[in-house]
Amino acid sequence: MTEELVTVTIDGLQVSVPKGTTIIEAAKQAGILVPHYCYHPSLPSPAVCRMCLVEVEKAPKLMPACVTAVAEGQVVRVDSEKAKKAREGVLELLLINHPLDCPICDQAGECELQDYVFQEGRAGTRYSEYAKRFSPVEDFGPDVLYVPNRCILCTRCVRFMEDVAEDPVLNVSDRGDRAYIGISSEQLLDHPWAGNVVDLCPVGSLISKDFLHKARAWDLDKTASVCPGCTQGCNITIDTRDDIVVRLRPRPNLEVNRHFMCDYGRMNYRWLNRGDRIEAPLVRDGGHHVATDWDTALDRLGQLIRGTSGSAVILATGRASTESLGLVRRMLDRISVTAVVQVPSGEEAPLAAVPNLALRAERTPNVTGAELVGYGSDWTAGLLELASAGLVIVLDAELSQSDLDFIAQSPASVVLLGTIFPEELRNADLVLPITTMAEENGSYVNRDRRIQRYNQAKSQPGMARPAWWVAGEAIAGPGPSASAPATAAEAFELLGERWPVFAATSYDDMGFTGRVLMEPAIASGGSKSARVGTL
Amino acid sequence: MGYPHPSHPKENPVLSKHFGDPEARTYDGWVKRGGYEGLKKILRLTPEAVIEEIKTSGLRGRGGAGFPTGLKWSLMPKADGRPHYLVCNADESEPGTFKDREIMRWTPHGLLEGCAIAAYAIGAERCYIYIRGEFTDPYKIMDQAVEEATARGALGDNAFGSGKRIEVILHRGAGAYICGEETAMLNSIEGKRGNPRIKPPYPAQAGLFGMPTTINNVETLAVVPHVVMRGGEWYKGLSLSNPKSTGTKLISVCGHIQRPGNYEVTMGTPMKELIYDMCGGMRPGRTLKAVIPGGSSVPIMSAAEAEDCLLDYEGVVAKGSMLGSAGMIVMDDTTDMVYQIWRLARFYAHESCAQCTQCREGTAWTTRILERILAGKGKQEHFQLLLDLSDNMTGKTICVLSDSCAAPIVSGIQKFRHEFEAYIQGAREPALAAV
């Protein structure tokens, strides 16, 4: 596979890019941002905002960098007087009818109009003699409001719905400076992926009702994570404000979700902010549970495991990290174990124009990861085993009444590693507080065997610890010589010892976009040598 | 002929010879006048030979840009296995232009014959004629002509027994000026919003429905049968000045003129002769003030420039304007230039497709400034602002609509600045209510 390269000079920097690359992308390679509005790497380019006009040597006119392909030896100037003047002109025109309501606009702080105007716009307006155009806010659908006054008509939203979602409910209506984004009167912007128009909007014109006036962009902490909504594994950013998750947004990963995420995933964050969390380990003392410290709780856990006669059952949530699922499984290595993972299901909702991208029917992130560490997905099989089991470990699974009935009728000791303590689980012998995916580091394996890391976005409540930490401590046992994993990366290395499929990669290797797990035989031919845990 | 006036001896009626003659509209009447002989002739030739003949003639596009027609046809890919399309631009929405309307009204079969010849030359089986929505009468006449020509075997699955399929489809516009822009027209035919497309890709590579497409103006195509019958050399010989401008040109003359109408002149005829001889000059007691020579989109000429101008592509450029679509708007000394320029700007602001920022916002803003000047609220700073905005609107957008809005403003300020000053300094009564 030989790709023909062309070399161009952009603002004095030379860069070699594949033939056919646009100037805007070539500039990105050289570390130069060509200001733009309508261009988006995951949408077709209409070249309408005219913001990315650059000077190309020998071209009589300024060229739109978003649709002009590079040519060998081309000399491009983004910072020339001519190009700057053109940008200043566009910015002036975009602002003449703009309400400048940044103080009450959700986009402020992450607004491309604000950024570019601040960077190279005019300080004052020459449009002071006229009233600004005014149109009322429109309700576009379940989560999207349209504020026409702020709209710069870049048409990203229209193109997303038309060319990516293939559900063309949005359009440009009317002409000239009366134009606005229209929506068919009988339709709503209720496509399962419609929320992306809010992210795509470079200004504060399309805004999320869910996020409306909730936080200022500069008050948000941003954490790279993976969506826990389904087996697709879309890369996301968790935005928190004062330790509360306020928004999930897609994080670009061209291999998994391009620049998008579905509305189901986007709205699936409130459970991360629950206040009724277990904050301390609880041991049963007669009919009551008594809060205790981790040493005592871990001793009790060790006793329960060692004292188990017969088999054990693990009932796990698919939201648990691969490390937690794996180490909890390893913790019971000396016992015969039936481990099952809970897989809620829903309707599949593909994003039409992006191959292999959909809200998946399996609405939990780590089904593949669970399978790789020995979990089955036949929940009922796990429940049936309870009748003869000596120990059941509930790993944060959401239990239905019938699940609880099975547990109540089982002779097994019950250990709950959970975030929430259901009232009906009164017979639990030991309750250990664990963290949610937003409160820990860990990894999920998506349906295409891509293992992806997520990072801690908020602090854990009370004494809650990652489930992998609890299991790691239990495996290591008590005493000063014992060595349990202290980080998720170390916990991951431990997985590799037991399941070779993980041995060929590491946290560093996965980086921010993940790595596809190969069968060990294939992986050994790869560039990365196997690293086996030394713990 | 200077329809609706009798032909003037200084005219050279080729296309307009049968204007006003109802019999020429019918198939039989057209055949009696030598019609469809050109099509029969070229069906025996190779497409390359037809293109060569057109190249020899020096025929250039009559829609405004003046691109050599033979060269345009030769840019179509050869035997690439894809369907090719011919699109005839009959949108004629340029203010001041009304020549294509008369061609369709009086010589519909001449246009159909030209379409068929062009379709054959570029390897197209289908030709779309995009007719301006307001042209109800021309549409009916064209519709009748297509029906007749198909029934008589000139068009259809087997044109004149040649085995060639040449089908003509009429498509009516819905009233948008911008749909006269060739790529917006393609979108409109496809059923999309009439927004101009970015070039490249050019229509010859990916045009209508993504297929190789040639777009020609009505007048260009109507000339083709004449070139084919009388030879490219004959057509090339019709030139009074620059050899790059050949043939005859229909000029639509309107405004403050004694005999407005369509005049067909040989390329290179002095504009002075057209205005004062053929059109009968100014109204009694009036003098010429300005001319917009090529439809509203071109720079305004002063009287002195107009009277010294030769009517061909190069001649008008030499006087700082463009021949464009040759819709000539003549203005006498009663004209309020500021008002006229505002009227034009308002038109462009109304018709902007709203894609490009400079055009969408710039046309509207310039209109408002002109409105303010006319309302007696102008300021000296407005001159610089208008020129800045015009500069920002020129050469920066997908199509030339915003350039067209800027052209009369810049040339107007250059040539008639004192009229703006009169409003600004209060020497002239406001012409509009305050905005």
Side-chain angles (χ1 to χ4, degrees):
Chain A
M1 205 176 89
T2 51
E3 212 166 11
E4 202 184 325
L5 292 177
V6 290
T7 302
V8 292
T9 308
I10 304 175
D11 282 352
L13 294 171
Q14 275 205 352
V15 60
S16 292
V17 292
K19 198 178 173 189
T21 306
T22 56
I23 291 176
I24 206 166
E25 285 297 329
K28 214 183 263 177
Q29 298 289 310
I32 296 164
L33 172 69
V34 182
H36 60 271
Y37 291 115
C38 69
Y39 173 76
H40 188 280
S42 282
L43 298 175
S45 301
V48 295
C49 73
R50 314 309 283 180
M51 189 62 185
C52 72
L53 293 178
V54 293
E55 207 171 335
V56 177
E57 209 174 71
K58 292 188 197 117
K61 296 199 282 188
L62 295 173
M63 304 295 283
C66 65
V67 290
T68 309
V70 291
E72 181 60 40
Q74 203 174 46
V75 179
V76 176
R77 295 285 305 277
V78 182
D79 66 352
S80 75
E81 279 314 307
K82 219 168 138 188
K84 276 188 189 163
K85 194 167 169 249
R87 287 201 290 274
E88 191 192 275
V90 171
L91 289 170
E92 177 177 32
L93 292 169
L94 289 178
L95 282 186
I96 59 174
N97 283 300
H98 190 83
L100 298 174
D101 57 349
C102 310
I104 57 150
C105 177
D106 277 341
Q107 192 82 4
E110 50 190 23
C111 172
E112 289 167 49
L113 190 57
Q114 230 178 14
D115 291 348
Y116 294 139
V117 169
F118 187 73
Q119 199 172 299
E120 39 188 17
R122 297 177 68 93
T125 180
R126 294 189 284 181
Y127 193 74
S128 50
E129 293 159 326
Y130 315 94
K132 293 195 180 203
R133 183 170 64 215
F134 178 84
S135 315
V137 174
E138 273 185 73
D139 189 349
F140 268 7
D143 188 47
V144 184
L145 290 178
Y146 175 52
V147 186
N149 297 341
R150 298 177 189 149
C151 184
I152 60 168
L153 284 164
C154 71
T155 71
R156 280 189 195 176
C157 53
V158 177
R159 280 172 284 139
F160 174 79
M161 291 311 295
E162 188 162 320
D163 301 310
V164 183
E166 296 182 0
D167 178 22
V169 295
L170 299 182
N171 59 48
V172 176
S173 292
D174 214 328
R175 292 181 282 168
D177 75 333
R178 291 96 56 213
Y180 60 95
I181 301 300
I183 181 162
S184 157
S185 57
E186 281 123 41
Q187 283 172 298
L188 284 175
L189 189 59
D190 57 0
H191 186 274
W193 292 75
N196 288 293
V197 300
V198 175
D199 309 329
L200 290 168
C201 184
V203 297
S205 188
L206 292 170
I207 48 178
S208 159
K209 292 184 202 169
D210 183 70
F211 187 66
L212 191 67
H213 300 163
K214 215 163 158 186
R216 306 313 322 246
W218 50 88
D219 286 334
L220 299 178
D221 292 309
K222 293 172 182 289
T223 309
S225 188
V226 176
C227 178
C230 78
T231 53
Q232 177 71 34
C234 291
N235 292 203
I236 61 165
T237 301
I238 298 181
D239 287 356
T240 56
R241 183 184 181 232
D242 297 339
D243 238 21
I244 292 172
V245 179
V246 291
R247 179 171 74 174
L248 305 184
R249 295 193 115 182
R251 180 166 58 87
N253 186 335
L254 299 186
E255 306 289 323
V256 181
N257 56 306
R258 293 205 65 93
H259 295 78
F260 310 122
M261 75 183 292
C262 72
D263 291 9
Y264 173 82
R266 192 182 290 272
M267 293 303 155
N268 179 29
Y269 68 85
R270 287 178 205 281
W271 63 279
L272 296 168
N273 293 331
R274 281 182 75 152
D276 56 345
R277 296 283 298 277
I278 315 171
E279 299 198 1
L282 307 169
V283 285
R284 193 161 60 140
D285 180 12
H288 297 91
H289 284 93
V290 180
T292 185
D293 58 62
W294 273 110
D295 284 346
T296 313
L298 287 166
D299 278 352
R300 182 87 185 100
L301 179 60
Q303 287 164 16
L304 282 167
I305 294 170
R306 282 191 301 276
T308 299
S309 57
S311 61
V313 173
I314 306 173
L315 300 174
T317 172
R319 285 170 180 166
S321 66
T322 317
E323 292 78 3
S324 295
L325 290 162
L327 293 190
V328 168
R329 178 70 187 74
R330 267 194 81 171
M331 181 172 85
L332 304 179
D333 265 356
R334 282 180 217 98
I335 311 171
S336 158
V337 175
T338 302
V340 288
V341 64
Q342 198 171 31
V343 187
S345 71
E347 210 171 307
E348 179 146 327
L351 184 57
V354 184
N356 198 27
L357 178 55
L359 163 61
R360 302 296 175 181
E362 296 152 316
R363 295 284 162 82
T364 198
N366 210 12
V367 179
T368 307
E371 280 166 5
L372 289 174
V373 294
Y375 288 69
S377 51
D378 185 351
W379 191 251
T380 316
L383 294 176
L384 292 174
E385 284 297 319
L386 286 173
S388 58
L391 176 66
V392 55
I393 294 197
V394 177
L395 178 51
D396 210 27
E398 280 177 49
L399 301 173
S400 68
Q401 192 52 54
S402 102
D403 297 343
L404 290 160
D405 292 346
F406 270 102
I407 293 171
Q409 286 155 21
S410 164
S413 307
V414 179
V415 174
L416 169 66
L417 277 86
T419 54
I420 308 293
F421 189 8
E423 194 136 321
E424 298 83 351
L425 216 56
R426 276 284 146 78
N427 61 339
D429 294 276
L430 182 61
V431 177
L432 302 171
I434 61 164
T435 48
T436 65
M437 55 82 65
E439 297 153 2
E440 64 184 23
N441 292 336
S443 69
Y444 289 147
V445 184
N446 84 350
R447 63 200 308 277
D448 298 319
R449 292 170 73 94
R450 174 179 290 268
I451 187 159
Q452 307 186 100
R453 288 166 55 186
Y454 58 83
N455 298 287
Q456 184 177 356
K458 61 195 285 262
S459 53
Q460 73 277 32
M463 296 163 72
R465 292 284 183 276
W468 58 256
W469 178 87
V470 178
E473 292 287 336
I475 294 166
S481 62
S483 174
T487 64
E490 288 172 6
F492 181 74
E493 286 185 17
L494 284 180
L495 295 185
E497 288 178 5
R498 165 78 191 270
W499 294 282
V501 66
F502 300 112
T505 184
S506 68
Y507 264 37
D508 283 347
D509 182 46
M510 286 177 225
F512 279 95
T513 51
R515 152 99 31 165
V516 176
L517 294 171
M518 302 288 181
E519 290 302 336
I522 307 168
S524 62
S527 59
K528 181 87 181 62
S529 63
R531 288 203 331 192
V532 177
T534 50
L535 293 160
Chain B
M1 68 168 61
Y3 186 80
H5 311 288
S7 198
H8 190 277
K10 286 189 175 174
E11 279 191 75
N12 185 0
V14 175
L15 288 172
S16 60
K17 195 171 165 193
H18 304 292
F19 281 9
D21 173 3
E23 203 195 44
R25 286 173 173 171
T26 63
Y27 185 85
D28 288 327
W30 190 245
V31 168
K32 211 161 104 187
R33 286 161 183 77
Y36 286 112
E37 285 306 313
L39 177 57
K40 285 181 188 157
K41 178 178 166 187
I42 63 103
L43 286 171
R44 295 189 295 268
L45 304 174
T46 63
E48 290 73 26
V50 181
I51 294 176
E52 268 321 301
E53 197 66 50
I54 299 297
K55 278 187 176 171
T56 305
S57 75
L59 174 62
R60 290 166 70 177
R62 301 302 196 219
F67 192 82
T69 305
L71 179 59
K72 191 183 241 186
W73 292 4
S74 71
L75 294 176
M76 291 288 276
K78 308 279 178 296
D80 60 339
R82 293 188 291 168
H84 290 191
Y85 292 109
L86 174 71
V87 173
C88 170
N89 187 343
D91 195 48
E92 194 164 62
S93 39
E94 183 73 14
T97 314
F98 42 88
K99 60 189 178 61
D100 298 341
R101 183 186 68 192
E102 299 311 313
I103 292 174
M104 289 190 280
R105 278 178 73 199
W106 297 111
T107 59
H109 287 284
L111 175 58
L112 289 182
E113 187 180 357
C115 289
I117 294 170
Y120 176 77
I122 63 165
E125 291 189 336
R126 182 174 283 187
C127 165
Y128 286 88
I129 303 183
Y130 189 96
I131 301 183
R132 177 179 171 144
E134 293 88 335
F135 283 178
T136 47
D137 190 35
Y139 173 77
K140 277 185 207 148
I141 293 164
M142 287 301 298
D143 192 39
Q144 175 78 31
V146 171
E147 202 173 297
E148 255 188 306
T150 309
R152 302 294 285 270
L155 302 174
D157 289 342
N158 186 8
F160 286 132
S162 64
K164 289 283 169 195
R165 179 186 160 90
I166 302 173
E167 189 184 13
V168 173
I169 293 169
L170 302 183
H171 187 106
R172 300 186 70 183
Y177 169 68
I178 195 60
C179 288
E181 197 279 341
E182 59 179 19
T183 55
M185 176 170 292
L186 300 182
N187 278 338
S188 179
I189 294 173
E190 289 180 19
K192 298 174 184 157
R193 184 179 161 98
N195 285 349
R197 298 177 182 174
I198 335 160
K199 291 184 258 187
Y202 292 92
Q205 300 151 357
L208 189 62
F209 302 111
M211 298 301 157
T213 303
T214 291
I215 301 138
N216 284 131
N217 174 256
V218 166
E219 187 182 350
T220 316
L221 290 170
V223 166
V224 165
H226 298 280
V227 173
V228 164
M229 283 310 292
R230 296 161 83 170
E233 286 297 338
W234 159 77
Y235 197 75
K236 195 178 162 189
L238 300 175
S239 175
L240 300 177
S241 57
N242 196 307
K244 283 185 189 163
S245 295
T246 62
T248 61
K249 181 82 191 85
L250 272 169
I251 316 265
S252 309
V253 188
C254 67
H256 298 145
I257 194 90
Q258 290 279 30
R259 285 195 298 273
N262 280 299
Y263 294 84
E264 189 170 7
V265 297
T266 309
M267 282 286 190
T269 302
M271 193 184 284
K272 200 173 177 175
E273 286 184 19
L274 174 63
I275 293 174
Y276 293 102
D277 302 343
M278 296 178 236
C279 299
M282 301 292 106
R283 293 178 294 174
R286 296 293 163 203
T287 53
L288 181 66
K289 182 177 198 172
V291 172
I292 306 180
S296 63
S297 299
V298 303
I300 304 173
M301 295 169 107
S302 65
E305 287 166 333
E307 284 170 357
D308 193 28
C309 178
L310 296 179
L311 279 169
D312 61 20
Y313 294 104
E314 293 73 21
V316 187
V317 168
K319 296 295 167 193
S321 190
M322 284 178 288
L323 186 60
S325 60
M328 237 173 86
I329 304 168
V330 180
M331 293 176 258
D332 71 17
D333 56 337
T334 62
T335 311
D336 178 344
M337 292 310 289
V338 185
Y339 187 90
Q340 293 309 326
I341 291 165
W342 164 73
R343 190 60 195 82
L344 287 176
R346 198 177 72 161
F347 171 78
Y348 289 108
H350 184 257
E351 296 293 340
S352 165
C353 84
Q355 282 196 107
C356 302
T357 308
Q358 289 94 336
C359 178
R360 181 179 69 239
E361 307 291 343
T363 53
W365 190 1
T366 48
T367 305
R368 275 184 209 117
I369 298 168
L370 292 166
E371 229 158 65
R372 229 174 144 74
I373 294 174
L374 283 168
K377 305 222 168 175
K379 294 185 220 152
Q380 285 300 324
E381 299 95 271
H382 284 150
F383 284 113
Q384 195 51 48
L385 185 52
L386 281 172
L387 292 174
D388 276 1
L389 286 173
S390 298
D391 179 54
N392 195 11
M393 287 158 63
T394 305
K396 302 203 173 57
T397 47
I398 292 176
C399 79
V400 293
L401 191 142
S402 79
D403 304 56
S404 303
C405 180
I409 294 173
V410 175
S411 53
I413 292 179
Q414 252 168 29
K415 293 167 192 174
F416 304 97
R417 190 177 174 113
H418 57 279
E419 297 198 25
F420 290 81
E421 294 276 10
Y423 276 111
I424 291 171
Q425 287 161 7
R428 186 161 186 166
E429 281 296 303
L432 289 177
V435 279

